[in-house]
Amino acid sequence: MCEKNAWREEAKKKAASSAVKEVKKNFVVGLGSGSTVAYVIRDLGRRNSKEDLQISGIPTSHQALLLAVENRVPLTTLNENPKPDLMIDGADQIDKRINLIKGMGGALTREKIVAYASNKVIIVADETKLVEKLGVNHPLPIELLPIALPLVTLRIREMGGIPVLREAKQKVGPVVTDNNNFIVDAHFGAIDTPRELNLTLKEIPGVIETGLFIEIADTAYIGKPNTVQEINRKR
Ligand code: 5RP
């Protein structure tokens, strides 16, 4: 790892460990996706075996599922546990009210479902994710049915955005999500009214979900070079 980014990995690890401290015996935990949550899942596995916590996890992606198996975190589903005690997830942008842009890992739809269902949602990230306003220098990921691609891209352009179909890195053609859909990364610039934008996008037929998570997260643990900052949503 390059020296320049070493502090970020440490910061992610510390944020992850702060979140995992909130897990109690018999908890059902929603497992988000991404490189910061990978630290969460490893920590959960360690605590589960050391302290006999008897937790179970609900994965939101193939990545989370494989990591949970590797780290011996027992799995469950929303069918068996429709109200998880806690969801721990990462984010791509986080504003002061803990509204989020998520989805650069392509798992936004399952993440939003499990987060919505959970009693408490904790976000873990390093401080580079904190922003004044969502959307500045960052696209908004949108998951859509492949057949709706022409309609969705046209509508985003009419709304003043720039849609970019997400391309796979080690396969030709578009990224196909765990739900067999496409992702469009829409560049809108600063998002002044995220709740309204989310609703407008969701009215387009074929849009499955957007990466705007508005008033879903309760707490964020933000890893910094020497500390972890806790932010709680005001209600
Ligand atoms: C996946 C996500 C991730 O939580 C988000 O991309 C953050 O990932 P990382 O912790 O690797 O920066 O939304 O859909």
Side-chain angles (χ1 to χ4, degrees), residues 107-147:
L108 61 149
T109 301
R110 294 188 193 194
E111 288 168 343
K112 205 183 261 190
I113 292 168
V114 178
Y116 237 88
S118 298
N119 277 333
K120 180 172 183 180
V121 177
I122 298 180
I123 298 300
V124 286
D126 68 75
E127 69 174 350
T128 62
K129 306 292 183 70
L130 284 179
V131 294
E132 276 301 310
K133 198 160 248 188
L134 298 178
V136 176
N137 297 324
H138 202 286
L140 172 64
I142 298 166
E143 180 164 2
L144 59 137
L145 284 174
I147 191 179

Side-chain angles (χ1 to χ4, degrees), residues 75-226:
L75 295 171
T76 183
T77 65
L78 277 184
N79 293 314
E80 292 149 297
N81 291 286
K83 217 164 173 24
D85 299 285
L86 187 64
M87 160 84 169
I88 308 178
D89 202 353
D92 301 301
Q93 284 198 323
I94 306 168
D95 75 9
K96 277 189 258 169
R97 307 161 88 167
I98 340 184
N99 288 329
L100 316 168
I101 286 184
K102 286 184 47 57
M104 293 314 285
L108 61 149
T109 301
R110 294 188 193 194
E111 288 168 343
K112 205 183 261 190
I113 292 168
V114 178
Y116 237 88
S118 298
N119 277 333
K120 180 172 183 180
V121 177
I122 298 180
I123 298 300
V124 286
D126 68 75
E127 69 174 350
T128 62
K129 306 292 183 70
L130 284 179
V131 294
E132 276 301 310
K133 198 160 248 188
L134 298 178
V136 176
N137 297 324
H138 202 286
L140 172 64
I142 298 166
E143 180 164 2
L144 59 137
L145 284 174
I147 191 179
L149 181 64
L151 170 67
V152 174
T153 51
L154 184 70
R155 188 71 193 99
I156 289 170
R157 281 199 194 91
E158 286 169 356
M159 292 164 67
I162 303 168
V164 178
L165 176 64
R166 195 179 295 179
E167 294 283 337
K169 291 259 160 58
Q170 291 182 320
K171 160 195 169 289
V172 287
V175 163
V176 177
T177 68
D178 290 354
N179 313 310
N180 292 324
N181 294 316
F182 288 172
I183 301 254
V184 162
D185 292 308
H187 298 255
F188 287 107
I191 299 172
D192 292 322
T193 50
R195 184 183 288 282
E196 287 73 8
L197 179 61
N198 181 54
L199 289 176
T200 307
L201 287 166
K202 289 193 71 169
E203 275 177 357
I204 308 170
V207 167
I208 305 289
E209 197 46 84
T210 89
L212 282 168
F213 283 50
I214 310 304
E215 289 181 21
I216 292 179
D218 300 289
T219 298
Y221 287 110
I222 308 293
K224 303 194 168 196
N226 297 309

